[in-house]
Amino acid sequence: QVQLVESGGGLVQAGGSLRLSCAASGRTRSNYAMGWFRQAPGKEREFVTAISWAGFSTQYADSVKGRFTISRDNAKNTVYLQMNILKPEDTARYYCAEYSGPSYTRSAVAYWGQGTQVTVSS
């Protein structure tokens, strides 16, 4: 059984930075990619970014392009999300996700972390 544990969330001022980490335990036979989603109160969980198994391919939501960077360290079984120039609109609970198929859509997510809260003050 795979477990994903996020860390690094917190309260930050607008324009500041945070780095989220997602530590994975257990093994899966079909880890195609890792990614991040976020969910604000009253909103649907939305895609933020994802990275392929080898780290050669990444995808970003338009709202975070140029500000967020995803990376992974397979030796540490960890994926990171560097968030820069944070905006109040980025306030949400951020969830780590492990994909079991060749897609970055929510339907391909096999495992979810418990989430970590990011709050950006203006």
Side-chain angles (χ1 to χ4, degrees), residues 20-70:
L20 307 184
S21 298
C22 172
S25 61
R27 298 285 293 180
T28 177
R29 296 180 182 180
S30 55
N31 184 350
Y32 286 88
M34 299 290 294
W36 292 90
F37 289 73
R38 66 186 183 186
Q39 187 168 23
K43 302 294 183 180
E44 294 294 316
R45 190 170 300 187
E46 65 177 2
F47 172 81
V48 177
T49 181
I51 185 168
S52 64
W53 167 76
F56 297 144
S57 178
T58 58
Q59 295 284 339
Y60 294 92
D62 289 341
S63 59
V64 306
K65 286 181 180 177
R67 300 187 298 118
F68 290 11
T69 302
I70 188 171

Side-chain angles (χ1 to χ4, degrees), residues 40-110:
K43 302 294 183 180
E44 294 294 316
R45 190 170 300 187
E46 65 177 2
F47 172 81
V48 177
T49 181
I51 185 168
S52 64
W53 167 76
F56 297 144
S57 178
T58 58
Q59 295 284 339
Y60 294 92
D62 289 341
S63 59
V64 306
K65 286 181 180 177
R67 300 187 298 118
F68 290 11
T69 302
I70 188 171
S71 62
R72 67 188 300 169
D73 185 339
N74 290 343
K76 294 183 177 181
N77 297 315
T78 302
V79 62
Y80 305 95
L81 180 62
Q82 179 66 47
M83 305 185 294
N84 298 324
I85 319 176
L86 282 161
K87 305 175 180 180
E89 306 91 90
D90 296 317
T91 295
R93 191 166 185 86
Y94 284 71
Y95 296 88
C96 181
E98 180 177 315
Y99 292 86
S100 61
S103 172
Y104 289 162
T105 64
R106 187 170 61 187
S107 62
V109 174

